[in-house]
Amino acid sequence: MVKEKVYQSLIPQIKALIQDETDFIANLGNICAAIHFAFNFHWTGFYIVKNDELVLGPFQGPVACTRIGLGKGVCGKVWKQKKALIVEDVNQFDGHIACSPYSKSEIVIPLINNDEVWGVLDIDSSHFKNFDSTDLHNLTIICELLKKP
Ligand code: SME
């Protein structure tokens, strides 16, 4: 199935998963699981801003680094610039934080409320150039469903 079709069924599924549940961690957990298994990504998860760091939140995939500073790695850069990033080849990204040797490309979307980044959605693929504007568009829609905890 082409990815746009997958997103077309994934987004209503995610809306249904979170609409009657107020617990924030439960919703983040289900959202990353739904995304992860829809596409069989290598790693899918959330980092949440706590004080001056991004701290690992709910995720699916291998163990990952727990804390990322502002401006560090892909996630920290997205936090700092308040703008999503697509990295086609993680080896070419200056300062990329390698949590797994199998990660080849990555997309990071900021979670923003009232112009403030309160977390990021980070997805790693084991294939180069896995992410494009279709992912950016649809993952941004998913992230906009989330409110700051
Ligand atoms: N690669 C990320 C770190 C998080 S892991 O990919 C799960 C980065 O450079 O910020």
Side-chain angles (χ1 to χ4, degrees):
M1 210 187 331
V2 291
K3 63 169 79 173
E4 182 62 45
K5 284 234 173 237
V6 178
Y7 281 115
Q8 276 173 23
S9 65
L10 179 62
I11 289 173
Q13 185 196 345
I14 287 176
K15 282 181 180 165
L17 275 170
I18 67 175
Q19 69 181 1
D20 294 327
E21 178 52 66
T22 55
D23 189 276
F24 182 69
I25 297 294
N27 285 338
L28 292 188
N30 264 341
I31 289 171
C32 68
I35 297 170
H36 189 76
F37 289 101
F39 292 100
N40 200 18
F41 288 133
H42 178 62
W43 195 92
T44 309
F46 292 97
Y47 283 90
I48 310 297
V49 174
K50 291 188 181 166
N51 301 317
D52 56 352
E53 290 176 309
L54 284 168
V55 181
L56 183 63
F59 70 96
Q60 293 283 330
V63 294
C65 62
T66 52
R67 291 171 189 271
I68 299 173
L70 183 68
K72 304 290 183 194
V74 187
C75 293
K77 190 164 183 191
V78 165
W79 176 18
K80 190 173 181 181
Q81 71 182 21
K82 298 184 178 180
K83 196 168 178 296
L85 269 176
I86 291 173
V87 179
E88 293 188 336
D89 176 354
V90 296
N91 301 313
Q92 305 300 319
F93 187 92
D94 195 21
H96 172 257
I97 300 165
C99 294
S100 158
Y102 298 106
S103 176
K104 304 290 189 223
S105 62
E106 182 162 0
I107 187 168
V108 180
I109 317 278
L111 306 170
I112 299 177
N113 279 152
N114 299 325
D115 203 37
E116 183 193 353
V117 177
W118 56 269
V120 300
L121 169 64
D122 178 17
I123 306 178
D124 291 9
S125 168
S126 52
H127 305 283
F128 291 113
K129 295 187 176 181
N130 194 88
F131 302 104
D132 58 21
S133 56
T134 299
D135 300 286
L136 178 61
H137 173 73
N138 287 287
L139 293 170
T140 300
I141 290 172
I142 292 169
C143 287
E144 284 172 353
L145 298 172
L146 288 164
K147 296 276 180 291
K148 190 179 178 180

